[in-house]
Amino acid sequence: MYLLNLFIQELPKPEISPNGIQENPSLGTDSLIAHGLEKEQYIGMIILVIAVISAVGFFSRRVEYAILVSLFLSAFLIILLLFL
């Protein structure tokens, strides 16, 4: 009989409704995101790739050519797939 009373009794309402979620308005800038550093990162990556290819090319021209061909093919495929 006690178990039946548990099913019949009314549960207390939660203080915060799950349908009433409120979002704080954005202030426009986030101090945790470093804006404007993308150019420096891209320049650093290009310099790193050139340095790696040069170092590999110093030891083996075939491997250097293979790396260059794979980079050009992958860039071509990325561009092709982006614009299709």
Side-chain angles (χ1 to χ4, degrees):
M1 196 66 170
Y2 178 73
L3 187 61
L4 185 61
N5 286 338
L6 284 176
F7 289 120
I8 295 174
Q9 74 182 15
E10 186 176 326
L11 296 173
K13 293 183 180 180
E15 293 180 16
I16 299 174
S17 172
N19 295 333
I21 296 174
Q22 296 179 355
E23 183 177 338
N24 292 335
S26 177
L27 299 176
T29 59
D30 190 358
S31 62
L32 296 177
I33 298 175
H35 296 283
L37 292 179
E38 292 88 7
K39 292 178 187 176
E40 290 85 359
Q41 291 173 351
Y42 289 136
I43 291 170
M45 286 187 284
I46 290 171
I47 291 172
L48 182 64
V49 167
I50 291 171
V52 167
I53 291 173
S54 300
V56 169
F58 179 74
F59 295 109
S60 173
R61 286 283 176 194
R62 288 183 182 177
V63 176
E64 179 184 12
Y65 293 146
I67 291 173
L68 287 173
V69 168
S70 67
L71 284 174
F72 287 125
L73 284 177
S74 62
F76 175 73
L77 287 174
I78 289 171
I79 293 170
L80 183 70
L81 292 175
L82 282 177
F83 291 110
L84 282 182

